[in-house]
Amino acid sequence: MPLYLNDDQKMLHDSAVEFMKGEAPVSHMREFRDKQCKDGFSHALWKQFAEMGFTGILIGEDEGGLGLGHVEAGVVLEEIGRNLTPSPFLTTAVAGVEALNAGGKALRDKYFPGILSGDTVLALAIDEGAKHRPDQIGMAATREGNGFKLDGKKQFVVQGGSADMVLVAARTSGKAGDEKGLTLFAVDTSAKGVSRDNARLVDSAMAAHMQFDGVLVDADAVVGEVDDGDAVLRRLLNAGRSGAAAETLGVGSGAMDITVDYIKGRSQFGSLIGSFQALQHRISHLYSEIEVARACVLKAQQLLDEGSASADMMVSVAKAKAGKATALSVKEGVQMHGGVGMTDEYDIGLYMKRDRALQEFMGDVNYHTNLVAEMQGY
């Protein structure tokens, strides 16, 4: 497929651009940061996302959604990144919905209406340590009557403090490191034994450290198959990683744009600093890196929509490349702003903080670079 958007996708892009600029620009993020909102995002804005149809992008038309794909979800996510919009879109409408699409109809009937209306927020409880290592999941899920009992901890659960339901990856057999034996559960956060300790991340987004103490769930809470949850988990991770890559790309693009605007208007030694050839070379290099990352992200999304066997590797390529390009963008942005780039008055520092949080979400550059090397047999 060509590496550009078709006419329908361009229309969605235009709608997302206008919506984010009008309803959720960087000033919106500052507002929720400064008032120390316990959820870190606006529930009213989440309802507006639903009214725009964004929350139903990956939900089938027969279930009330738009029946679109990861390319379209990425269009929205890039604008979320460009405007630093705080939102549960990635965890709920992308990764969460993709997992539920692989589950039973009963779970979809239970959660999709709330997602479509903007009343439901989902979170992803995958990691158990400081870094993203899904192959090391060890949380226990033991048989209990007609269901399971969950015991263990999950770390850095984004939106975990405000989620109505959390998708929990636990081990129903085997040990940490085994390929088989994982099961994915849909756990209502109101369940007895679930506790949450909220933490504010470097970009002012909210996450939670979650404790599961003898949490009982019935068999209907299983997403996919018992002991064979790796297939569903892989779908969730691919959706989350490609989505995070798209949002990261938006952060990098937004940082580059405000930096270009700044050097076009800032004078030094009697000249606009944008006229200095050294800075022009650096901006040209940055632009090239962002465009290569954009091609990688779009290709990963297209392969996911096609159900291609190559999607896993390309998703990791996209996550790594978007991470490297955006890290370059925010660093160059702060440097080209000079001393004021370190102050809160200018937005460029906020882009650097958001980049740091997204880098760690579902695997950083090194993690995905190593994954690609392993897939290539190195």
Side-chain angles (χ1 to χ4, degrees), residues 177-246:
D178 290 349
E179 183 176 346
K180 296 294 183 180
L182 289 176
T183 304
L184 198 64
F185 297 91
V187 181
D188 288 346
T189 52
S190 60
K192 183 179 179 180
V194 176
S195 59
R196 300 178 277 186
D197 181 18
N198 285 348
R200 194 171 296 277
L201 302 180
V202 66
D203 63 337
S204 299
M206 296 301 297
H209 303 295
M210 301 191 70
Q211 179 79 39
F212 299 83
D213 290 318
V215 178
L216 298 176
V217 296
D218 58 31
D220 292 337
V222 174
V223 185
E225 301 293 332
V226 175
D227 282 347
D228 198 21
D230 184 65
V232 180
L233 181 60
R234 187 165 61 251
R235 285 185 62 166
L236 181 157
L237 292 175
N238 276 339
R241 290 165 176 173
S242 66

Side-chain angles (χ1 to χ4, degrees), residues 45-308:
L45 179 66
W46 185 230
K47 295 280 285 186
Q48 288 180 273
F49 267 67
E51 292 166 5
M52 291 291 292
F54 295 157
T55 61
I57 283 178
L58 292 181
I59 295 176
E61 291 182 273
D62 59 334
E63 295 181 287
L66 298 181
L68 300 175
H70 293 281
V71 173
E72 289 80 8
V75 166
V76 176
L77 281 162
E78 185 172 344
E79 294 312 309
I80 287 174
R82 190 185 304 275
N83 292 277
L84 304 184
T85 305
S87 164
F89 182 79
L90 177 55
T91 59
T92 302
V94 181
V97 165
E98 183 67 5
L100 291 175
N101 278 333
K105 187 175 186 301
L107 284 174
R108 297 198 300 274
D109 288 345
K110 182 177 181 180
Y111 294 110
F112 278 4
I115 294 172
L116 288 167
S117 65
D119 293 311
T120 297
V121 173
L122 307 186
L124 315 172
I126 309 298
D127 294 319
E128 299 172 5
K131 302 290 283 186
H132 178 66
R133 295 293 184 270
D135 57 319
Q136 294 300 314
I137 292 171
M139 179 176 167
T142 55
R143 293 278 185 180
E144 185 84 10
N146 192 37
F148 295 85
K149 182 177 70 171
L150 305 180
D151 290 283
K153 296 180 180 180
K154 294 291 183 178
Q155 304 291 341
F156 301 107
V157 181
V158 177
Q159 310 298 351
S162 52
D164 303 288
M165 184 270 275
V166 58
L167 289 161
V168 182
R171 187 161 288 286
T172 43
S173 66
K175 62 183 185 302
D178 290 349
E179 183 176 346
K180 296 294 183 180
L182 289 176
T183 304
L184 198 64
F185 297 91
V187 181
D188 288 346
T189 52
S190 60
K192 183 179 179 180
V194 176
S195 59
R196 300 178 277 186
D197 181 18
N198 285 348
R200 194 171 296 277
L201 302 180
V202 66
D203 63 337
S204 299
M206 296 301 297
H209 303 295
M210 301 191 70
Q211 179 79 39
F212 299 83
D213 290 318
V215 178
L216 298 176
V217 296
D218 58 31
D220 292 337
V222 174
V223 185
E225 301 293 332
V226 175
D227 282 347
D228 198 21
D230 184 65
V232 180
L233 181 60
R234 187 165 61 251
R235 285 185 62 166
L236 181 157
L237 292 175
N238 276 339
R241 290 165 176 173
S242 66
E247 186 174 344
T248 301
L249 177 65
V251 172
S253 298
M256 180 179 68
D257 289 346
I258 63 175
T259 300
V260 170
D261 288 343
Y262 180 79
I263 66 175
K264 283 182 177 179
R266 174 78 167 105
S267 292
Q268 195 172 32
F269 307 117
S271 301
L272 293 173
I273 63 174
S275 67
F276 299 159
Q277 193 174 60
L279 294 189
Q280 291 176 357
H281 287 170
R282 288 165 64 179
I283 286 291
S284 297
H285 174 234
L286 172 58
Y287 175 81
S288 299
E289 291 297 301
I290 290 289
E291 288 306 302
V292 172
R294 175 168 284 109
C296 292
V297 172
L298 181 54
K299 189 61 179 178
Q301 294 161 349
Q302 290 173 345
L303 291 175
L304 283 176
D305 288 336
E306 293 171 6
S308 171

